[in-house]
Amino acid sequence: MPIQINNYMGRIGWNARKYLPGLASKAYLAFQFATRRKLQKRYTEYFLNAPEIPKPNIVNIETINRCNSNCAFCTANIHAEKRPFMQIDDGLYRSIIDQLADWSYKGHVTLYGNNEPWLDDKIVERHRYARMKLPESYIYMSTNGLLLNLEKLKEIQPSMDQLIINNYSKEMKLHKSVQRIYEYVEMHPQEFEDIDILVQMRYVNEVLTNRAGSAPNKQATDKVINETCLLPFTDMWIMPNGKMGLCCCDNFEVTDFGDLNKISLKEAWTGPAIQEVRRLIASGRQDYPFCAHCDFIDAGMRMEVVKNILSGNEDAANRQGGHERGIKKA
């Protein structure tokens, strides 16, 4: 099926997140840290001991730093946003994509960060350029679906491998815009054979992680997190101003490991500053102040990616997130 609905642990999970938010978050994180610890450690050691610094597995390019939702756990929500408005410069965006192409990059690319991508009026054009220049990359989008309609879906579909619709709501039901898309795709699956569409049922007031102390509904405590983190090893995090930050938990855009207006993509990714942070975090977050109390952990895709890399199956790692398919052409 080209479209699926996912609801973590079904009705039981939904009610736990809604009525026992603190307990649900604590239990989920304890489970995830326990089950992912060994593999994360193996990958950080592989990365730091590689003869050449591995390329990122996922390149996140936030093209506009605004959202139109009110998710209680996110600083980008319409009530909590504090960042100065910024939209990426067209020349800078093309330069980033061109550099990825020159780097023979075949990993994941998403034009998304702590934002709603459909607020960028050039988002379709940007995806077309990325697909043209990076035909073997796995391009995906995460959206809340509030601005999405069938016309937009059909317009962007040829440039994308996966569309993730996070259906944030107070009740366990689809928004009208998402419901219309779901019904149409189900009735016309042949039109969407080359794209995976995943609808995720999400409770809008859910308590997730403290995101390095920036989450509005879960502040960081004095507890030190003695766990490593995959994000500095797997993700290149690019802000609309051209800065390469540490990760998605830098909601206030305070980390800076290179200005891509001034240095190359590869220089920023392999630079001594970010490498030093990786060495510190490899043995636990306690040694790097920004991360010391952050309890964020990846929801799953990165674990599958690094598992494939460690098993020597890099092609599968680059496809992780959806079905195998041929190379799309712009």
Side-chain angles (χ1 to χ4, degrees):
M1 285 294 294
I3 189 165
Q4 300 179 60
I5 295 180
N6 177 54
N7 183 8
Y8 183 68
M9 293 183 67
R11 174 67 67 176
I12 293 175
W14 179 274
N15 286 337
R17 295 189 291 274
K18 184 172 183 178
Y19 297 111
L20 300 167
L23 182 61
S25 174
K26 185 176 180 180
Y28 175 78
L29 290 175
F31 173 76
Q32 297 299 341
F33 277 121
T35 55
R36 295 161 190 252
R37 185 175 294 124
K38 288 183 179 180
L39 188 60
Q40 289 191 134
K41 188 65 175 176
R42 281 182 59 206
Y43 189 74
T44 60
E45 291 173 353
Y46 156 83
F47 189 103
L48 292 175
N49 293 320
E52 182 178 346
I53 296 174
K55 296 175 185 177
N57 309 118
I58 302 156
V59 175
N60 309 265
I61 308 171
E62 186 178 71
T63 67
I64 190 169
N65 62 358
R66 283 296 180 272
C67 189
N68 59 335
S69 188
N70 60 346
C71 302
F73 49 81
C74 182
T75 56
N77 80 58
I78 56 177
H79 303 300
E81 181 61 76
K82 296 179 181 179
R83 298 174 292 179
F85 174 79
M86 179 68 67
Q87 188 169 9
I88 198 167
D89 175 77
D90 292 347
L92 173 62
Y93 171 75
R94 287 181 173 245
S95 171
I96 291 169
I97 298 298
D98 290 347
Q99 289 180 66
L100 288 171
D102 292 341
W103 206 5
S104 301
Y105 183 74
K106 297 180 182 180
H108 293 59
V109 175
T110 183
L111 310 188
Y112 163 78
N114 292 311
N115 70 321
E116 168 49 48
W118 284 105
L119 289 174
D120 182 352
D121 57 2
K122 298 180 179 180
I123 199 66
V124 174
E125 173 190 333
R126 297 195 202 280
H127 275 85
R128 286 175 179 159
Y129 190 75
R131 173 53 69 205
M132 178 181 68
K133 299 292 288 189
L134 303 167
E136 295 184 75
S137 284
Y138 190 91
I139 300 177
Y140 70 100
M141 172 193 282
S142 290
T143 172
N144 59 40
L146 297 176
L147 297 175
L148 190 60
N149 56 37
L150 191 58
E151 181 182 2
K152 290 179 178 177
L153 173 59
K154 289 186 174 183
E155 191 175 19
I156 206 166
Q157 175 194 349
S159 304
M160 194 173 294
D161 295 274
Q162 185 183 45
L163 175 67
I164 301 168
I165 304 174
N166 289 309
N167 189 89
Y168 298 108
S169 61
K170 291 185 176 180
E171 303 301 328
M172 204 173 71
K173 61 181 182 180
L174 298 177
H175 293 298
K176 290 181 180 179
S177 58
V178 181
Q179 182 70 44
R180 285 192 287 267
I181 288 171
Y182 180 79
E183 291 173 354
Y184 184 88
V185 176
E186 269 213 318
M187 291 176 63
H188 305 85
Q190 69 284 353
E191 294 184 32
F192 303 92
E193 291 179 347
D194 286 334
I195 186 172
D196 286 316
I197 304 175
L198 176 63
V199 180
Q200 299 191 127
M201 302 298 294
R202 302 287 302 274
Y203 179 50
V204 70
N205 291 329
E206 183 174 2
V207 175
L208 295 171
T209 71
N210 64 47
R211 298 177 67 86
S214 66
N217 68 351
K218 186 183 182 184
Q219 296 301 306
T221 66
D222 291 333
K223 179 182 178 181
V224 174
I225 308 298
N226 296 308
E227 303 277 353
T228 189
C229 179
L230 278 180
L231 293 181
F233 300 87
T234 59
D235 285 50
M236 176 179 282
W237 185 257
I238 302 172
M239 306 171 192
N241 59 9
K243 299 290 182 66
M244 191 186 87
L246 182 64
C247 67
C248 61
C249 293
D250 183 9
N251 289 17
F252 298 132
E253 302 177 354
V254 297
T255 61
D256 181 359
F257 294 96
D259 185 347
L260 302 182
N261 293 287
K262 300 176 181 178
I263 66 173
S264 72
L265 205 70
K266 191 172 182 179
E267 283 179 285
W269 178 253
T270 61
I274 187 67
Q275 274 295 90
E276 176 60 20
V277 172
R278 291 173 183 139
R279 281 190 286 271
L280 291 172
I281 293 175
S283 59
R285 307 180 195 193
Q286 70 277 2
D287 293 324
Y288 186 59
F290 181 85
C291 305
H293 307 290
C294 178
D295 62 359
F296 181 89
I297 190 166
D298 174 60
M301 180 184 72
R302 288 162 185 82
M303 292 296 291
E304 294 302 316
V305 168
V306 302
K307 187 185 300 181
N308 280 315
I309 290 172
L310 291 172
S311 65
N313 195 349
E314 191 163 343
D315 286 342
N318 291 337
R319 292 193 303 269
Q320 191 62 46
H323 59 263
E324 291 189 34
R325 46 178 285 287
I327 298 172
K328 286 187 180 179
K329 302 297 183 184

